[in-house]
Structure formats: C-alpha cells, structure tokens
Amino acid sequence: MINDHKNRSTGGFALTRRQLGQAAVAGGALAAFGRAPAFAQNTTLKVGVLLPRSGLLAQAGQACQRGAEIAPAVLAEMGYKVEVMSADTESNVDVARSRTEKLINDGANVIVGAFDSGQTAAAAQVCEQRGVPLVMNIAAADRLTEQGYKTVFRNFPTSTMLVSNGLALMKDLFAATGTTPKSAVFLHANDTFGMANRQALDALFPTLNMPFTLVESISYDPKAQDLAVEVAKAKATGAELAIVTTRANDAIMLVREMVKQRWEPKGIVSPGSPGLYDEQFYKVLGKYADFAMTNLPWYDPKAAMTKRVEAAFKKQFPNDRFEGYAFNVAFTFEAILIAADAFKRAGSAEPASLLAALRETNLTDKMMVGPAIKFDAKGQNTQLVSACIQNHNQRPTVVLPKGSAELDPVFPAPGWGKRA
C-alpha cells in the first residue's frame, strides 16, 4: 500500500493478561536462539521514503518516487510485504530533517532517501539519533559514510568512487575513439554534491595520469536564472573537453547557453552526476541533448529484476519512457528491496534486528550492473561499477565497456549546427 504521508491516529487492540503472558514466553524462547523479533513474520515492513518531490530538485525526486510507487507490488510477487510511506522534502534540508522525524514518529521502520546529499545528511543525523536504519537511494558525498554512523547504508557510489571510475572510463573513451583532448574545464553546481565532486576531482586528478590538463574549475549556483557568465568563462579557457557535475535544470541551462554562445568542445562528460540522462533533459533540448556522456552505475537491461521493474513501470506509467527514468527508479527500488530483504531475513522490524540483517546483506538478484550488493563496516557498498552512457536519439545508451555496449561511442561530438 502506498500513501502520501499524513497525520493519522494509530489503531490497535487490547491484549488480555493471558495473551501478554503467552507473548512473553514466546519472546523468551526466541531470545534463547539469539533473536527476539518484535513483530511476527507476516508483519508488513513500513518504509518511509523521503524525496524532494517539489522545489529545485522536484524532477529527480518525482522520478525516484516512481520507483517507490511500483516497489510494493513488485516485491509482493517475490514474497515481501512492504508499505511505502512517502514524504516530500521540498528540496530543503530543514524540511528533510523534520519529515524524517515525522516518518519515524508515524511508524516507519526504515527510511529510504533522499537523492540529495545535503538532505540525506540531515536524515542520517535523525536516523542515527533515533536508532532507525537509513538506506540511501542516491547521495554521493563521501562524508555520509565517513562519520562513524551505525545506522546508514549506501548502495550508491561516493563522490570519490564516481570521479575515479568516471575518469578511468574517459581514458577508455579516448582509446576507443582515437581522439584525446589536450585540456578540460570543470563546471559544477556549488551545492553539497557538486562541491563533494570538486573535492574528489582535485584530490584524484593529480594521481591518475590523465592525458589532458585541467585548466580551470568553475562553480555556479544551481538556482541561477542563466549560466551565461560561467559558459563564457569556460569558453574563454579554450578547453577541448567540458567535464560537468549537474542536475537536470542546470544541465539544460548549461547546454542552452553553450549552443547560444557557439561553444563546441569535443564533448560534454559527467563523472557520475544526474542531469544529462534525465527525461526532462531530452524533452527540453531534443537534438541538443544527444552525444552528452555520463559515466555512472547503470542498470543491466538483461537482468530478471530489471525486466520485472520495467514491466511494472510501463503498466503504471504507460505514457512515460522507462529509459528516461530508469536510473532514479532503479536505485530507489533497490534501496527498498535491500530493506525488504533484511526484514525478511531478520523476521522482525525491530531496529536492532533490521540493522544486524542489513550488515549481512548479500543481494545478487538486483537491477544494477556489478557484483552482489554488500556493505562494508561503514555501511558503504564498495563494489559498484560504472558504464559510459551516451545520449543517442534522445535515449541513454551504453557505449562502454565494449562487452556491454549497445553502440560505439561518438567522440568528438558533432557541432551544434550539424545535429540531425
């Protein structure tokens, strides 16, 4: 069952003294085996899903929400009992904190969210204080799993992982196409995620022997009305490659301004940020969305779980393209799947039991490319791998690694005036 999060009274029923005594005996017997579930095996797990469904990040939050909405039915077919309780952060850190508190107060056994690193950090603080598990769907800032928290689990790369994997794939791109740029400029939003990627790039770039020089890093406010000044500054560097960290809104502004100013670098590549593959990016920019690249974890179109989720998506959202939402849908669905799997193994929604089960996660039946989902002592899945996704005919298309490629990469990209 899915419900938008509202105030509601809690129902219940009275127990006789005899029933209470029987429950105590049963609990003692289970404790003797090292586990005392607070709920029966047939209890439904209540998952509080925290997303920015309005405000600056609404497009991404609503895309993630689609994954939450199809999850209960898909998981029910697999024997999991899950109820989704949805809350809107309004793209605001303080609201994220208060909505996390409210979800927990209203009975959420686990929190999933919150797409944005800053909002996820606020939710993590609350979950740690309350002892409730947080399973991140999308959020990359390294510090989220570096603060010693015992209740956070992330099946998403850190900024360091994204940038490291993304830069390595750039080398593969240059080798595959026989074209290597001599210089690059980095444009990034100045929000939590963008600054985390900037820090990762600054730290990693000198160590990776990249074949080009990084001539400048340019930050911008993602709430700006246009990026004319930033694009002019980037163009003036003469850089042959544009490396970007964006969201959908600023990615659209960025490309529009590049077309307007006729800045035509050999390519636009993101080491793992959203924006360039979002459905809104394709709808607004059309042919100008093509040939942009993003290096990030991606779903396996051949996986049985992908086929389940894609069928459910098309049934529930017949007017939407799965490919344009799949990344956000997949990571949100997998976060809920991780929680449901831990609940089933724990036999309990009691926090300590859920946390113990989450630490032992070993999920092989999943959507994303790569090894089984496992967490290290910090709660981080360190085994995530990236693919190079290039837009072709307004569709995200795998072009590297070669064994998984749907098409060959195109680099350099055609000039703006040469797009079909």
Side-chain angles (χ1 to χ4, degrees):
M1 175 183 178
I2 299 172
N3 53 62
D4 205 43
H5 195 52
K6 300 176 181 177
N7 287 319
R8 59 186 183 276
S9 60
T10 55
F13 56 87
L15 292 175
T16 66
R17 290 182 180 178
R18 181 179 178 183
Q19 288 171 321
L20 285 169
Q22 290 173 336
V25 171
L30 287 166
F33 287 94
R35 186 181 70 200
F39 298 84
Q41 284 281 1
N42 63 355
T43 300
T44 297
L45 180 70
K46 294 184 177 182
V47 181
V49 177
L50 189 71
L51 293 168
R53 290 183 290 136
S54 62
L56 180 67
L57 301 176
Q59 292 171 355
Q62 291 168 15
C64 291
Q65 183 68 23
R66 284 167 164 79
E69 290 180 9
I70 64 176
V74 175
L75 293 175
E77 295 175 357
M78 302 169 61
Y80 299 108
K81 295 184 179 181
V82 172
E83 174 188 347
V84 168
M85 304 163 62
S86 295
D88 180 11
T89 68
E90 302 174 15
S91 301
N92 182 285
V93 170
D94 292 331
V95 174
R97 183 177 292 105
S98 64
R99 295 287 161 82
T100 305
E101 286 278 9
K102 190 167 185 352
L103 283 167
I104 295 171
N105 290 340
D106 283 0
N109 308 121
V110 59
I111 301 297
V112 163
F115 180 79
D116 170 72
S117 291
Q119 294 164 57
T120 304
Q125 292 169 3
V126 174
C127 287
E128 188 73 8
Q129 291 165 1
R130 300 291 296 272
V132 172
L134 168 66
V135 182
M136 303 176 206
N137 66 329
I138 297 171
D142 288 54
R143 63 187 175 89
L144 292 169
T145 47
E146 293 294 332
Q147 298 187 10
Y149 288 162
K150 302 301 182 184
T151 61
V152 301
F153 299 86
R154 175 163 50 184
N155 181 42
F156 193 81
T158 65
S159 289
T160 298
M161 292 168 64
L162 280 172
V163 171
S164 179
N165 293 342
L167 291 175
L169 275 169
M170 287 184 202
K171 290 183 179 181
D172 294 342
L173 170 67
F174 306 150
T177 60
T179 300
T180 301
K182 297 178 180 179
S183 58
V185 61
F186 180 41
L187 295 110
H188 66 91
N190 62 6
D191 59 10
T192 304
F193 175 51
M195 295 307 296
N197 273 20
R198 165 72 180 273
Q199 292 168 5
L201 186 64
D202 287 347
L204 290 168
F205 192 85
T207 71
L208 295 177
N209 193 29
M210 297 303 292
F212 56 80
T213 58
L214 187 62
V215 295
E216 192 165 357
S217 292
I218 302 170
S219 67
Y220 58 82
D221 183 349
K223 298 178 183 179
Q225 295 301 308
D226 68 70
L227 298 178
V229 172
E230 289 81 3
V231 169
K233 187 176 180 180
K235 181 181 179 181
T237 67
E240 295 183 340
L241 179 68
I243 302 174
V244 302
T245 290
T246 59
R247 310 286 195 188
N249 286 338
D250 46 299
I252 291 167
M253 286 194 294
L254 180 66
V255 172
R256 275 179 166 167
E257 197 59 43
M258 290 174 71
V259 175
K260 183 179 179 180
Q261 296 191 27
R262 299 181 182 178
W263 179 34
E264 298 181 339
K266 294 183 184 297
I268 304 171
V269 184
S270 169
S273 68
L276 301 179
Y277 56 80
D278 284 354
E279 187 69 359
Q280 193 67 14
F281 186 74
Y282 301 124
K283 287 181 177 179
V284 173
L285 294 174
K287 64 182 182 180
Y288 297 125
D290 278 345
F291 305 107
M293 296 182 177
T294 310
N295 298 338
L296 78 172
W298 201 248
Y299 67 94
D300 181 352
K302 299 178 182 178
M305 189 66 76
T306 298
K307 293 176 181 177
R308 281 179 182 266
V309 171
E310 183 174 7
F313 182 93
K314 289 180 176 179
K315 181 179 179 180
Q316 189 155 345
F317 306 103
N319 297 322
D320 293 331
R321 292 193 313 164
F322 177 69
E323 294 91 340
Y325 294 88
F327 179 85
N328 293 315
V329 166
F331 269 116
T332 303
F333 174 84
E334 278 198 353
I336 298 172
L337 170 63
I338 288 165
D341 170 71
F343 170 61
K344 189 173 184 179
R345 287 184 289 106
S348 171
E350 187 269 326
S353 298
L354 270 181
L355 289 167
L358 282 164
R359 294 184 188 106
E360 299 301 319
T361 296
N362 185 11
L363 260 176
T364 56
D365 189 9
K366 59 193 185 67
M367 291 184 67
M368 306 307 284
V369 172
I373 298 171
K374 297 181 180 181
F375 299 111
D376 65 10
K378 298 177 182 179
Q380 175 65 46
N381 179 3
T382 62
Q383 302 303 309
L384 290 149
V385 298
S386 292
C388 181
I389 310 302
Q390 186 170 41
N391 297 339
H392 285 278
N393 297 318
Q394 290 98 69
R395 176 185 177 274
T397 305
V398 178
V399 294
L400 288 171
K402 191 171 181 61
S404 301
E406 301 168 90
L407 291 174
D408 291 331
V410 176
F411 186 84
W416 303 120
K418 298 178 182 179
R419 305 292 174 99

